[in-house]
Amino acid sequence: GMGEVYRGRDARLHRDVALKVLPQGIAADPAALARFEGEARSLAALNHPHIAQVYGLEQSESAVIVMELVEGEDLATRIGRERTTPELAWRIARQIASALAHANAAGIIHRDIKPANILLTQPAVGSDLPADVPLAKVADFGLAYQTATAEAANLTVSGATLGTPAYVAPEQLQQTHVDSRADIYALGATLFHMLTGQPPYHDYSPMRAIVGKISGDEGWRERIRDVCDEGSAELIEAMTAYEPEERIGDYEVLIGRIDQVLQGLSRIPADVAVEQPLPRPARPRKLARFAVALLGTLALILLTMGGGLWMGRSSEAPLGKWETIGIPQPLFNGLSVPLSLI
């Protein structure tokens, strides 16, 4: 999002708050100011225990959103410190799903769900959460899209790519006005990060990740079956399907399926290894889509380099001996061509 966040003190109400301040240089831009004020309005329209509350919007030397101070850490910090167990991951995800359902009912799509935008804190006394499960809150609605207001279109730069590539839904890379299925995809990608300790496409460059995501490269999802049960793997796959039409799009259905997964996990003894199924073969449609993107990427590289890399090597020493390891793999997978050339 935009702005810098500080811890502050409300002198009148005698409470600590979070102050999200729009830097003066950015505040001079009318579009940036409108986006910042739009975030405040989005938050003001929501009242949910798993969404950080907004207390007000102030104008001084710059624009300031006064918000609830959430004591704790963000999910990205938690993941970096320790691997999340499947049960804890799904209990956090259920809280986020309920928050997104509330936002969606108010016509608001977050568009930037990721570990860094999920805050974890201690539950209040009397909470029905298990003792070892933190209270999760969604923060940073700076990229939120209000589906019910015509002005939302004016708060989005036409053709801009919004969100974080590792978590963003494929359709969001191509259009800015998306629906709840984009947030569900990002939540599924966040679950993947919680369970594996690494985000999707973690070993890709940003450009390769974008090309892979648009082309339908879903190989990253296969790793989930190495670390969790069949029920968890199937639900994450249903949340992160490439085609929005094949993805879960209803929060009531999603929360119901999360509850089913949690019930299944409670029946699995901790000392019993989970049998992993064989990977599912890729569908022809997705293979074709990947092939088109791959050829386009190759053509772009050759055109950009003007053939200099390949033709210029005629008078130089060869790249070295290449050898095939195992079954030959598609070009640009990191095995058949050195990564330094991509």
Side-chain angles (χ1 to χ4, degrees):
M2 61 181 68
E4 299 170 336
V5 182
Y6 299 89
R7 185 188 187 108
R9 179 74 177 174
D10 187 328
R12 289 175 295 181
L13 298 180
H14 303 288
R15 65 178 176 185
D16 290 341
V17 295
L19 302 175
K20 187 169 186 178
V21 182
L22 187 64
Q24 293 184 27
I26 300 178
D29 179 2
L33 182 60
R35 172 73 63 78
F36 191 74
E37 294 176 348
E39 177 182 2
R41 287 193 297 271
S42 296
L43 282 168
L46 305 176
N47 183 16
H48 192 275
H50 298 300
I51 296 177
Q53 286 186 286
V54 61
Y55 297 145
L57 177 64
E58 303 289 341
Q59 289 288 148
S60 55
E61 296 180 355
S62 184
V64 180
I65 301 176
V66 185
M67 302 174 62
E68 169 190 7
L69 178 67
V70 181
E71 300 274 12
E73 63 183 356
D74 60 52
L75 181 57
T77 302
R78 173 68 178 262
I79 296 172
R81 188 175 67 251
E82 59 184 344
R83 181 74 59 83
T84 310
T85 65
E87 182 174 0
L88 178 58
W90 284 112
R91 289 196 180 278
I92 292 175
R94 193 188 192 284
Q95 297 178 61
I96 302 307
S98 68
L100 294 176
H102 176 75
N104 184 62
I108 296 174
I109 311 301
H110 190 282
R111 296 198 302 181
D112 198 21
I113 292 296
K114 59 183 178 181
N117 285 341
I118 297 173
L119 306 179
L120 304 178
T121 188
Q122 287 293 326
V125 175
S127 171
D128 57 357
L129 289 172
D132 58 343
V133 177
L135 177 70
K137 287 180 177 282
V138 179
D140 203 339
F141 279 72
L143 298 184
Y145 168 60
Q146 294 180 282
T147 59
T149 58
E151 67 175 344
N154 296 326
L155 299 181
T156 300
V157 179
S158 177
T161 297
L162 299 178
T164 304
Y167 309 96
V168 67
E171 66 270 18
Q172 195 170 322
L173 293 171
Q174 305 173 68
Q175 55 184 315
T176 54
H177 300 169
V178 294
D179 58 28
S180 60
R181 293 171 293 186
D183 281 350
I184 289 176
Y185 181 102
L187 179 56
T190 296
L191 272 161
F192 177 89
H193 192 170
M194 280 193 277
L195 292 171
T196 65
Q198 296 174 326
Y201 304 98
H202 77 282
D203 53 351
Y204 281 41
S205 68
M207 181 57 67
R208 288 182 67 201
I210 291 173
V211 171
K213 182 161 286 190
I214 293 176
S215 67
D217 175 9
E218 297 179 327
W220 60 271
R221 299 196 306 176
E222 295 177 0
R223 284 185 290 156
I224 198 64
R225 293 179 175 271
D226 296 330
V227 298
C228 67
D229 62 290
E230 175 72 3
S232 295
E234 287 185 350
L235 184 48
I236 291 177
E237 289 173 350
M239 295 171 69
T240 59
Y242 176 88
E243 299 288 354
E245 295 77 13
E246 299 176 3
R247 199 180 306 153
I248 294 177
D250 183 275
Y251 283 108
E252 184 175 351
V253 173
L254 174 60
I255 292 173
R257 290 195 58 179
I258 290 176
D259 288 340
Q260 291 176 4
V261 169
L262 285 169
Q263 291 174 7
L265 289 173
S266 66
R267 293 192 294 266
I268 299 176
D271 57 348
V272 174
V274 178
E275 293 186 3
Q276 305 299 333
L278 293 174
R280 297 178 180 176
R283 284 175 288 184
R285 178 174 57 180
K286 293 180 178 178
L287 287 175
R289 196 162 49 218
F290 180 75
V292 171
L294 187 60
L295 290 175
T297 303
L298 176 59
L300 179 62
I301 291 174
L302 292 178
L303 288 174
T304 302
M305 300 173 71
L309 175 62
W310 311 106
M311 298 174 63
R313 291 209 178 256
S314 59
S315 59
E316 298 177 3
L319 289 175
K321 294 183 179 180
W322 290 19
E323 61 177 309
T324 300
I325 303 176
I327 301 174
Q329 300 294 314
L331 198 61
F332 292 131
N333 67 347
L335 296 176
S336 54
V337 173
L339 285 174
S340 61
L341 299 181
I342 302 177

